[in-house]
């Protein structure tokens, strides 16, 4: 039984951080888009930490913005604090991080979706996909409604067969006691998808006015106005601080004495947890030589007393959590408002996806976010925008978009997932990007705005101002290259005052800027520009000039890689027909079905010797294919 409920170009299932980006990207390209979510009050909800950004992740938020996505604009409108991290280090590791007003964040994002002309927002539970001739043609909800479409994007987060675990209590649930999605998970297994069980966790929330802040260290936001989005011109100046405290030997003793009651150690939790965001019990066991661990107290919003205890993620019983909190300086008399918990859920093995995030098994079906084995709002949103772009383009008969590892952290993230897979919730780190000097916070617009404009997500007006900025950077670099700074007494005195050695001869402005003691500001004191240069232009000029040698080296590596990326592997190639490839490599190549030699070389278990044999085979041109 059922009824026909409507026809769309794209249907997005789920409206978390991946779902909202997928839906907006699809709709803004001109595809008629439906978003189905279990609960409309949970659109863009933050079930875990109330923050956006941080190392690598903050760069992803900038990339989403440069492509025309929403996360950056939304956090700029709703944050309570913003800080630039790693300011004392090089530009490759600098990243912006914002504390969100989590309620305002979700209300603002829901409002954005409601106002989008091509988008319909609907509460409902998707239970089955409509599959015809190996293609996904829509979804069926719990009420029997059949929604037809040309493409479907699954962004189910931690809802698939979600199970909350708190001490020895466990029950079927999505995050924050929401209804889980059970039947869709079973349906994906019926369709032959390989699923894995992962887990993540949250810390307790406590009441702000029961904290003794005099025993903690204040962590204020930056005084300099900052923003994630290149479009933001109005800044929030009224910021709320966070606070730093630490666990104590007593905290660790309580955890050690109650490990037998921890679901992680009693065998109750079967799912694999995130390595880079361990629970407090995991930290105490693994790093038992450390006398204390950092705890950040983060307000959840302007109009709530709830404070998030960052660093104390746990699934220990409620009574143990309360005792643990009282051993932390500043929290001796704290009132716990919500207990921390762990949540287990199903995820898809991501090597079953193409780099477009379309599934290999069923065409027109895309997946994005935690269903693909990642952790984190930013990783989810980065996949969401790419799945939405590609689902929308497929529905409209346009060419797919794939970001390479040298284009963006989003490219690194997706390539890692579809090429290597992941045996634990995946988190993006700067160390995962071999071209991190090219993939910086400051240049996301220079890398991606043209792509965003080409696919219709960046307005002509914004593209025009981007081109003006780009031209200004080149003009100023050219000016500083041609200007000669002479060794006059005045110039020598100024250079000495900065701790630099005197000039022997006249020197180009760009060469002088490469000195460690010099920056853009000091060089332009000696060679002023005729008109005022915008701060973001000055920043680019300084970074591009100072790091020119390193950037050049990275670009040469990228060129080498592009040659391998351009060496495409024919579809349906029969790897069994290639003599000499190792058995493990053969199995992995058949499983991943890489699109290029470069992708093949990144598969774990495929060695350089196997790649050489593959290259020779491709050169010969007599390529055997597997019958469909």
């Amino acid at each position: 039984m059922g009824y026909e409920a409507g026809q769309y170009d794209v249907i997005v299932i789920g409206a978390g951080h991946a779902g909202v980006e997928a839906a907006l990207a699809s709709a803004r390209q001109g595809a008629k888009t439906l978003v189905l979510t279990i609960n409309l009050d949970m659109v863009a909800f933050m079930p875990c930490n109330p923050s956006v950004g941080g190392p690598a992740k903050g760069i992803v938020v900038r990339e989403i913005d440069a492509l025309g996505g929403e996360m950056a604009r939304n956090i700029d409108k709703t944050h309570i604090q913003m800080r630039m991290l790693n300011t004392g280090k090089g530009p490759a590791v600098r990243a912006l991080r914002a504390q969100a007003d989590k309620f305002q964040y979700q209300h603002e994002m829901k409002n954005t979706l409601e106002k989008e002309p091509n988008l319909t927002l609907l509460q409902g539970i998707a239970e089955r996909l409509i599959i015809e001739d190996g293609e996904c043609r829509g979804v069926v909800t719990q009420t029997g409604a059949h929604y037809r479409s040309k493409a479907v994007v699954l962004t189910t987060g931690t809802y698939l067969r979600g199970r909350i675990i708190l001490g020895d209590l466990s029950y079927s649930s999505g995050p924050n006691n929401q209804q889980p999605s059970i039947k869709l998970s079973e349906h994906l297994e019926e369709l032959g998808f390989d699923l894995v069980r992962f887990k993540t966790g949250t810390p307790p929330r406590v009441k702000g006015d029961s904290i003794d802040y005099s025993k903690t260290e204040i962590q204020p936001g930056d005084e300099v106005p900052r923003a994630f989005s290149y479009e933001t011109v109005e800044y929030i100046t009224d910021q709320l601080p966070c606070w730093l405290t630490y666990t104590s030997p007593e905290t660790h003793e309580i955890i050690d004495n109650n490990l037998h009651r921890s679901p992680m150690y009693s065998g109750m939790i079967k799912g694999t947890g995130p390595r880079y965001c361990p629970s407090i019990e995991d930290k105490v066991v693994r790093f038992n030589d450390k006398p204390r661990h950092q705890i950040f107290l983060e307000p959840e919003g302007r109009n709530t007393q709830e404070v998030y205890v960052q660093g104390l993620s746990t699934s220990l019983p409620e009574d143990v959590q309360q005792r643990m909190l009282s051993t932390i300086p500043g929290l001796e008399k704290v009132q716990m408002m919500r207990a921390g918990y762990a949540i287990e859920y199903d995820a898809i093995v991501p090597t079953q996806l193409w780099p477009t995030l379309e599934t290999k098994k069923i065409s027109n079906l895309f997946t994005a976010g935690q269903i693909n084995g990642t952790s984190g709002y930013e990783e989810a949103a980065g996949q969401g925008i790419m799945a939405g772009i590609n689902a929308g383009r497929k529905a409209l008969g346009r060419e797919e978009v794939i970001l390479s590892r040298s284009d963006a952290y989003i490219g690194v993230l997706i390539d890692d997932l579809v090429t290597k897979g992941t045996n634990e919730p995946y988190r993006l780190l700067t160390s995962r990007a071999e071209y991190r000097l090219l993939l910086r916070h400051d240049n996301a617009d220079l890398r991606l705005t043209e792509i965003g404009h080409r696919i219709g997500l960046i307005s002509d007006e914004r593209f025009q101002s981007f081109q003006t900025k780009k031209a200004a950077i080149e003009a100023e670099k050219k000016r500083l290259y041609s200007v000669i700074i002479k060794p006059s007494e005045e110039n020598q005195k100024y250079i000495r005052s900065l701790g630099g050695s005197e000039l022997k001869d006249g020197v180009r402005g760009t060469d002088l800027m490469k000195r460690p003691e010099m920056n853009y500001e000091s060089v332009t004191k000696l060679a002023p520009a005729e008109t005022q240069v915008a701060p973001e232009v000055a920043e680019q000029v300084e970074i591009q000039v100072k790091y020119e040698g390193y950037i050049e080296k990275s670009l040469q590596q990228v060129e080498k890689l592009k040659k391998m990326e351009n060496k495409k592997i024919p579809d349906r190639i029969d790897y069994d027909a290639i003599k000499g490839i190792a058995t493990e490599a053969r199995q992995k190549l058949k499983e991943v079905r890489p699109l290029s030699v470069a992708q093949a070389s990144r598969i774990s278990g495929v060695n350089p010797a196997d790649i050489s044999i593959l290259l020779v085979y491709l050169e010969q041109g007599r390529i055997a294919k597997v019958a469909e």
Side-chain angles (χ1 to χ4, degrees):
M1 287 298 288
Y3 70 99
E4 290 298 323
Q7 178 80 42
Y8 295 86
D9 291 320
V10 174
I11 297 171
V12 178
I13 299 174
H17 303 284
V20 296
E21 293 293 351
L24 289 167
S26 163
R28 286 168 177 170
Q29 290 181 102
K32 188 183 172 196
T33 305
L34 171 70
V35 184
L36 263 181
T37 180
I38 288 176
N39 183 352
L40 278 179
D41 297 332
M42 304 299 281
V43 169
F45 179 67
M46 295 182 160
C48 203
N49 54 316
S51 68
V52 165
K57 294 164 173 274
I59 301 171
V60 169
V61 181
R62 297 275 275 183
E63 292 175 349
I64 291 166
D65 183 67
L67 289 165
E70 202 58 38
M71 184 177 248
R73 283 191 284 244
N74 206 59
I75 189 67
D76 285 353
K77 287 185 267 187
T78 59
H79 67 271
I80 57 177
Q81 188 200 95
M82 211 172 267
R83 291 175 75 183
M84 181 68 81
L85 308 179
N86 300 327
T87 48
K89 296 181 178 171
V93 289
R94 280 176 216 154
L96 203 51
R97 184 176 188 273
Q99 287 299 134
D101 184 319
K102 65 187 278 186
F103 308 103
Q104 215 192 330
Y105 185 92
Q106 62 181 118
H107 294 152
E108 186 63 40
M109 190 65 94
K110 179 170 181 254
N111 189 24
T112 301
L113 265 72
E114 287 168 345
K115 287 193 301 200
E116 191 60 47
N118 253 338
L119 201 152
T120 304
L121 199 49
L122 186 68
Q123 184 164 295
I125 298 181
E127 290 197 336
R128 282 194 341 273
L129 302 169
I130 299 168
I131 309 293
E132 292 165 2
D133 304 325
E135 286 183 8
C136 189
R137 302 270 176 85
V139 301
V140 182
T141 69
Q142 194 179 38
T143 56
H146 285 59
Y147 294 96
R148 307 271 169 181
S149 67
K150 296 172 186 166
V152 170
V153 186
L154 289 182
T155 67
T156 49
T158 59
Y159 282 78
L160 284 186
R161 269 196 297 227
R163 177 169 161 258
I164 278 181
I165 301 140
L166 172 53
D168 50 15
L169 169 73
S170 100
Y171 54 94
S172 181
S173 173
N176 209 40
N177 289 336
Q178 290 300 302
Q179 206 173 330
S181 172
I182 308 291
K183 292 203 171 162
L184 187 57
S185 210
E186 291 166 356
H187 180 58
L188 289 171
E189 281 184 325
E190 281 165 24
L191 291 171
F193 283 103
D194 224 348
L195 302 182
V196 283
R197 199 85 176 137
F198 280 167
K199 88 138 188 107
T200 185
T202 71
R205 272 58 155 195
V206 299
K207 195 161 184 238
D209 63 9
S210 67
I211 296 170
D212 180 355
Y213 288 111
S214 68
K215 295 182 177 173
T216 67
E217 296 168 41
I218 191 165
Q219 306 278 301
D222 289 351
E223 284 175 24
V224 185
R226 299 200 186 276
F228 275 103
S229 174
Y230 288 93
E231 289 186 356
T232 298
V233 288
E234 287 177 28
Y235 299 92
I236 293 171
T237 51
D238 164 27
Q239 301 192 77
L240 300 184
C242 294
W243 307 83
L244 170 65
T245 182
Y246 296 88
T247 57
S248 66
E250 291 74 35
T251 324
H252 297 194
E253 194 180 340
I254 288 170
I255 292 166
D256 282 333
N257 292 343
N258 286 280
L259 278 179
H260 63 286
R261 297 181 68 195
S262 161
M264 277 189 59
Y265 291 92
S266 67
M268 210 167 144
I269 289 179
K270 301 281 188 282
T272 311
R275 176 188 305 256
Y276 298 103
C277 189
S279 67
I280 188 66
E281 46 269 48
D282 210 14
K283 281 194 266 194
V284 167
V285 170
R286 275 168 49 193
F287 309 107
N288 59 7
D289 54 323
K290 284 206 165 35
R292 61 183 197 168
H293 294 283
Q294 283 187 327
I295 301 291
F296 288 96
L297 305 173
E298 303 178 345
E300 296 224 319
R302 293 182 192 276
N303 302 311
T304 176
Q305 277 287 322
E306 280 193 73
V307 174
Y308 182 87
V309 188
Q310 170 82 283
L312 208 71
S313 178
T314 183
S315 54
L316 280 161
E318 203 170 73
D319 60 301
V320 179
Q321 292 189 35
Q322 187 67 66
R323 293 207 322 269
M324 221 157 69
L325 285 166
S326 66
T327 63
I328 293 168
L331 306 186
E332 293 86 351
K333 295 187 174 147
V334 87
Q335 183 190 328
M336 182 165 78
M337 293 177 76
R338 302 183 201 225
Y341 62 85
I343 184 165
E344 277 192 340
Y345 55 95
D346 286 347
I348 258 181
V349 173
T351 49
Q352 298 170 103
L353 309 172
W354 296 114
T356 55
L357 296 180
E358 185 177 16
T359 67
K360 293 171 181 172
K361 203 172 280 296
I362 293 166
S363 61
N364 305 344
L365 176 63
F366 296 76
T367 60
Q370 279 186 273
I371 187 175
N372 290 344
T374 55
S375 66
Y377 311 145
E378 304 83 357
E379 286 92 334
Q383 294 170 69
I385 192 169
M386 294 315 295
I389 285 168
N390 283 316
R393 291 180 81 73
K394 186 135 198 203
L396 298 168
R398 296 175 193 159
E399 207 177 310
E400 61 196 20
V401 176
I402 296 171
L403 298 179
S404 75
R405 296 182 73 91
S406 55
D407 285 333
Y409 268 98
I410 297 172
V412 173
L413 163 70
I414 293 172
D415 183 64
D416 275 356
L417 290 173
V418 304
T419 306
K420 300 172 183 172
T422 182
N423 52 13
E424 61 191 32
Y426 176 101
R427 179 177 175 181
L428 205 52
L429 306 163
T430 47
S431 58
R432 296 194 194 271
E434 60 275 50
Y435 305 117
R436 57 187 167 275
L437 193 54
L438 302 177
L439 309 180
R440 304 185 308 274
H441 163 92
D442 61 83
N443 71 351
D445 61 336
L446 296 171
R447 292 184 274 121
L448 299 171
T449 307
E450 284 177 18
I451 297 172
H453 182 250
R454 189 183 81 231
I455 59 184
L457 297 183
I458 294 286
S459 68
D460 290 346
E461 187 188 16
R462 178 168 166 185
F463 188 59
Q464 193 51 57
S465 68
F466 159 73
Q467 286 189 305
T468 305
K469 173 185 168 179
K470 209 172 151 183
I473 295 164
E474 288 313 312
E476 184 60 355
K477 274 167 60 182
K478 203 170 170 184
R479 181 187 80 81
L480 287 170
Y481 179 78
S482 59
V483 77
I484 302 294
I485 293 163
K486 298 195 165 66
S488 70
E489 188 42 49
E490 203 181 331
N491 287 352
Q492 301 286 39
K493 190 178 169 188
Y494 179 64
I495 291 167
R496 279 200 305 274
S497 76
L498 297 173
S501 53
E502 291 191 352
L503 299 177
K504 292 191 172 59
D505 283 308
V507 65
R508 291 185 193 280
T510 45
D511 289 339
L512 187 61
M513 204 187 291
K514 286 177 184 170
R515 287 186 172 195
E517 75 278 4
M518 303 300 281
N519 58 18
Y520 178 81
E521 198 186 337
S522 52
V523 171
T524 50
K525 266 205 173 74
L526 301 172
E530 281 173 30
T531 51
Q532 181 71 37
V533 169
E536 64 272 22
V537 171
E539 178 188 43
Q540 276 312 307
V541 171
E542 182 175 322
I543 291 171
Q544 290 182 23
V545 168
K546 260 194 176 309
Y547 295 91
E548 186 184 29
Y550 298 105
I551 291 169
E552 198 47 52
K553 221 175 191 174
S554 289
L555 289 169
Q556 283 167 7
Q557 288 176 311
V558 170
E559 279 314 307
K560 263 190 202 162
L561 182 79
K562 275 200 177 128
K563 285 187 185 136
M564 285 177 82
E565 291 290 2
N566 291 337
K567 217 160 196 45
K568 298 289 180 234
I569 297 175
D571 191 25
R572 305 195 339 267
I573 184 171
D574 183 1
Y575 288 105
D576 290 327
I578 309 174
K579 291 181 172 57
I581 285 185
T583 308
E584 185 190 357
R586 200 184 300 278
Q587 283 168 352
K588 292 282 178 69
L589 288 163
K590 280 154 86 168
E591 182 194 321
V592 175
R593 288 154 72 192
L595 302 177
S596 68
V597 173
Q599 192 191 354
S601 72
R602 293 191 292 269
I603 300 171
S604 54
V606 176
N607 295 317
D610 303 310
I611 294 296
S612 300
I613 293 164
L614 177 61
L615 278 167
V616 168
Y617 182 77
L618 292 172
E619 289 297 319
Q620 287 168 349
R622 292 190 299 279
I623 294 157
K625 301 224 173 160
V626 179
E628 286 260 333

